[in-house]
Amino acid sequence: MPIFSYARFQIVCSLLLMPHLAPAAGNISKSDQQKISVVLTKDKGVELQLEIRQAPMAQVLGAIADKTGVPINYTVLPDGLVNATCVGTTVKQVMECLFNNKADLIFRYAEQSANKEQQTQLAEVWVLGARIGGDQASSSGCSMPGVQTQSAPAAANAQSEPAPDETDDLVKMTASKVPAKRAEAVGRLLAEGRKNDPSVREALEAALSDKDAKVRAQALSTLAHREGAGAAAALREAIHDNDVSVRLTAVDNAGGDPGLLQQALTDENASVRELAALRLRPIAKLGSAQ
């Protein structure tokens, strides 16, 4: 059985989410290479060094994947440019630094073997529900990321003036002919949509059957965070989706639904199975203690 590690952090929504299911890959231009530095060393404690200046998160993950050979998959990433300095011993440490405890990170390790080094070798990483905002201060040699989205004067004005209600515009945007705009709209409705507005729920429920998997995954995440237990039926339906990112999102938001998690244990994708198994453990422990 694969060794599986799941880092669950509180999700803080502060930025526009741009869903994009894809393995993080290369295709870094020369100008982008000047902004992203990933260095491997043999120095104890600083084996992996990451330096980022004004670069998109997707390209940052691509650079890490290219340098380390560890596939990095993601469902949603924040829009904007990242500044970060992260130093650590492992890819896991650097990824946790990079996302500043504001993402659900899944680390799946290689199959068990007699070789200790192979037992601790990462097979893949998944980034779910990433939401990053604001410049962060350095801590313990790890400078956390900041996403640059507006100038300082604009930020100051934003703090003093309430943001306009864009719910109606976002609901209309969920029907756009452009998948990226539909995904943007359902992502923004999480933070910007009016609470208890039936038009928002209707738009999200419609997006659950969108032909684009990125839109479906984002709609499911937004609905689950807005509705809580009210999204249970949508989560159970999504566990049968033909796209792994949607099924992972369903398991990630399953909470204490043992029926959904039991179904996920037979999923064809190893990441879905292992995440489901991990989420079932505390439920099983609670049951045995009663």
Side-chain angles (χ1 to χ4, degrees), residues 84-105:
T85 301
C86 294
V87 178
T89 301
T90 64
V91 173
K92 182 176 184 291
Q93 290 178 349
V94 169
M95 289 288 289
E96 289 173 346
C97 165
L98 177 62
F99 282 94
N100 194 16
N101 293 357
K102 293 183 177 68
D104 297 339
L105 302 177

Side-chain angles (χ1 to χ4, degrees), residues 3-216:
I3 307 172
F4 194 75
S5 173
Y6 175 56
R8 174 75 179 182
F9 301 111
Q10 179 181 7
I11 296 178
V12 178
C13 183
S14 57
L15 283 179
L16 162 67
L17 301 181
M18 296 296 292
H20 181 76
L21 169 68
N27 302 323
I28 309 298
S29 67
K30 185 175 181 180
S31 60
D32 292 324
Q33 287 178 338
Q34 296 174 352
K35 303 173 186 176
I36 305 172
S37 172
V38 184
V39 178
L40 297 176
T41 75
K42 294 183 179 180
D43 298 331
K44 189 173 182 180
V46 292
E47 285 86 345
L48 180 56
Q49 303 173 12
L50 177 66
E51 183 79 21
I52 310 162
R53 290 292 175 267
Q54 298 290 291
M57 181 61 80
Q59 293 184 353
V60 173
L61 298 183
I64 296 173
D66 284 349
K67 192 70 174 182
T68 63
V70 176
I72 302 175
N73 308 285
Y74 52 88
T75 55
V76 292
L77 290 177
D79 192 27
L81 301 178
V82 179
N83 290 317
T85 301
C86 294
V87 178
T89 301
T90 64
V91 173
K92 182 176 184 291
Q93 290 178 349
V94 169
M95 289 288 289
E96 289 173 346
C97 165
L98 177 62
F99 282 94
N100 194 16
N101 293 357
K102 293 183 177 68
D104 297 339
L105 302 177
I106 300 174
F107 302 94
R108 191 167 69 86
Y109 292 83
E111 298 287 337
Q112 291 276 12
S113 78
N115 188 317
K116 282 189 176 182
E117 184 176 343
Q118 290 182 357
Q119 286 183 12
T120 57
Q121 181 178 353
L122 268 178
E124 66 176 347
V125 178
W126 276 89
V127 181
L128 302 178
R131 293 158 172 83
I132 302 177
D135 293 323
Q136 307 294 332
S138 300
S139 175
S140 302
C142 179
S143 178
M144 303 303 184
V147 180
Q148 310 300 318
T149 57
Q150 55 187 350
S151 63
N157 291 334
Q159 292 178 358
S160 59
E161 300 177 5
D165 187 345
E166 299 184 8
T167 300
D168 295 335
D169 291 337
L170 291 174
V171 168
K172 291 179 181 178
M173 192 172 165
T174 62
S176 169
K177 294 182 179 180
V178 182
K181 287 192 174 295
R182 298 198 301 273
E184 174 187 338
V186 295
R188 289 176 60 185
L189 281 171
L190 173 57
E192 302 176 40
R194 287 190 296 267
K195 293 183 178 180
N196 303 317
D197 188 318
S199 69
V200 174
R201 182 173 181 115
E202 289 173 7
L204 293 175
E205 289 179 339
L208 293 174
S209 58
D210 195 280
K211 61 183 179 181
D212 189 282
K214 299 185 293 293
V215 179
R216 297 198 302 274

Side-chain angles (χ1 to χ4, degrees), residues 242-261:
N242 60 9
D243 188 273
V244 64
S245 72
V246 179
R247 301 199 303 276
L248 272 170
T249 302
V251 174
D252 187 43
N253 290 280
D257 186 340
L260 187 154
L261 296 174

Side-chain angles (χ1 to χ4, degrees), residues 224-247:
H225 283 94
R226 281 181 61 94
E227 302 293 335
L235 293 170
R236 295 191 194 105
E237 180 71 21
I239 200 62
H240 302 293
D241 196 278
N242 60 9
D243 188 273
V244 64
S245 72
V246 179
R247 301 199 303 276

